[in-house]
Amino acid sequence: QERLVETGGGLVQAGGSLRLTCAPSGLTFNHYAIGWFRQAPGKDREFVSHIGWRGTSPEYGDSVKGRFTVSRDYAKNIVHLQMNVLKPEDTAGYYCAARPGPYGSRRSSDFASWGQGTQVTVSS
C-alpha cells in the first residue's frame, strides 16, 4: 500500500527557514515523480513544487520561486523541500504526493497518492 509521510513543519518567524521531508513507502521510489502542494484555510490547494523521478526538471510555483528548493535523496528514498525566506503568506498545510512516471505536474489531480500533510506557520 502506497503511503507518504511529511515531516518538518512547525512555527517559524518571517525570514526563517524550514526543511520539509516526504518519505514515501509501498512504492518504487525511482519510478515516481513527487509533488508538493499547500493549502491554507479557506483557500484552494496551491502548487508549490515537483521533481521528476531522476531528480531532474524541478518546477516551482511563482510565489515560492527563488526561495524554495526541492531535492531527492536516493540513498534514503526521501524528498526534501527546503524553504527559505519564509513569509506569513507561506502559512499552510503542506502535502507531498506521488505520481507514477518520470515527470511531475502542476495539477494536483495528476497525483495518485497523498500524505496527511504537515503544518507550516510563519509569524510576522
Side-chain angles (χ1 to χ4, degrees):
Q1 182 178 358
E2 296 176 357
R3 183 168 178 255
L4 295 91
V5 177
E6 304 93 337
T7 56
L11 174 64
V12 64
Q13 288 188 331
S17 299
L18 284 173
R19 187 175 75 164
L20 305 184
T21 298
C22 175
S25 60
L27 54 83
T28 303
F29 183 70
N30 292 356
H31 292 180
Y32 284 76
I34 300 295
W36 286 95
F37 295 81
R38 67 187 183 185
Q39 189 165 20
K43 295 188 177 181
D44 293 335
R45 186 173 293 178
E46 178 186 7
F47 167 71
V48 175
S49 180
H50 68 71
I51 187 166
W53 68 10
R54 291 198 176 103
T56 54
S57 307
E59 290 192 7
Y60 301 91
D62 290 342
S63 61
V64 307
K65 198 173 297 182
R67 300 187 296 122
F68 290 13
T69 303
V70 64
S71 61
R72 300 182 74 124
D73 183 336
Y74 292 93
K76 298 179 180 178
N77 284 357
I78 57 177
V79 174
H80 291 301
L81 182 69
Q82 178 67 41
M83 307 187 298
N84 297 329
V85 195
L86 283 161
K87 304 175 182 180
E89 50 264 43
D90 294 319
T91 296
Y94 282 71
Y95 302 84
C96 69
R99 181 190 192 203
Y103 304 114
S105 171
R106 292 173 174 264
R107 298 183 302 188
S108 60
S109 58
D110 287 339
F111 290 82
S113 302
W114 290 79
Q116 293 299 306
T118 186
Q119 179 67 32
V120 171
T121 303
V122 185
S123 63
S124 58

